[in-house]
Amino acid sequence: MGVNAMQIGAIGSNTAVMAGGTDAGASVQAAERAKFDAALKEAEQKLSVRSGELSPAEDKKLREACQGFEAMFLNIMYTQMRNTVPKNDLFGHDNADEILQSMRDTAMMNAAAESGGIGLAKMLYEQLKLDSKAIVTPK
């Protein structure tokens, strides 16, 4: 019984040290908390919340970013689908063919996204435009 009591006591003392039971650990945590609070207040002072609609330039940038995201998504999806098709080595195979195919696929997916794609860009644009009141801008 004495051995079990000694092991339990050792575990309890280790957990107290790990939990920051010492005064030095508590002071380090308090200093880190104060440093974080100061950084948070500084960030709040540098930023302000804007209300209202997006300017035409911002609206255009948002629309382009949404189309770019859809094009990137479609390109990744198309590349992964192409990887499932077995390769045919009847006419040979080299790196130039892969590069040309990749460039052609990227151009095709960019064109697809610009012409409406699967509607992902439109949904993103509409959602982000609704959230434009929550956009944070530097003072």
Side-chain angles (χ1 to χ4, degrees), residues 6-22:
M6 189 167 48
Q7 288 176 347
I8 292 172
I11 292 172
S13 65
N14 287 340
T15 56
V17 171
M18 288 191 303
T22 63

Side-chain angles (χ1 to χ4, degrees), residues 34-112:
K35 186 177 178 181
F36 176 75
D37 289 340
L40 186 62
K41 285 180 184 177
E42 181 182 339
E44 285 177 355
Q45 291 172 353
K46 288 183 179 180
L47 301 173
S48 67
V49 177
R50 174 181 54 190
S51 63
E53 292 293 318
L54 296 173
S55 71
E58 291 172 330
D59 189 65
K60 183 180 177 185
K61 283 183 182 180
L62 178 61
R63 190 176 299 276
E64 289 173 355
C66 291
Q67 283 180 349
F69 179 80
E70 182 175 13
M72 181 180 63
F73 176 78
L74 288 173
N75 191 25
I76 291 169
M77 185 175 67
Y78 196 76
T79 302
Q80 292 303 316
M81 287 188 327
R82 186 179 293 280
N83 288 340
T84 64
V85 176
K87 295 189 191 274
N88 185 2
D89 292 332
L90 179 64
F91 298 109
H93 179 74
D94 63 352
N95 196 27
D97 290 334
E98 287 183 18
I99 292 171
L100 179 63
Q101 188 174 24
S102 173
M103 291 171 62
R104 186 178 30 201
D105 291 347
T106 300
M108 185 172 60
M109 291 302 115
N110 285 338

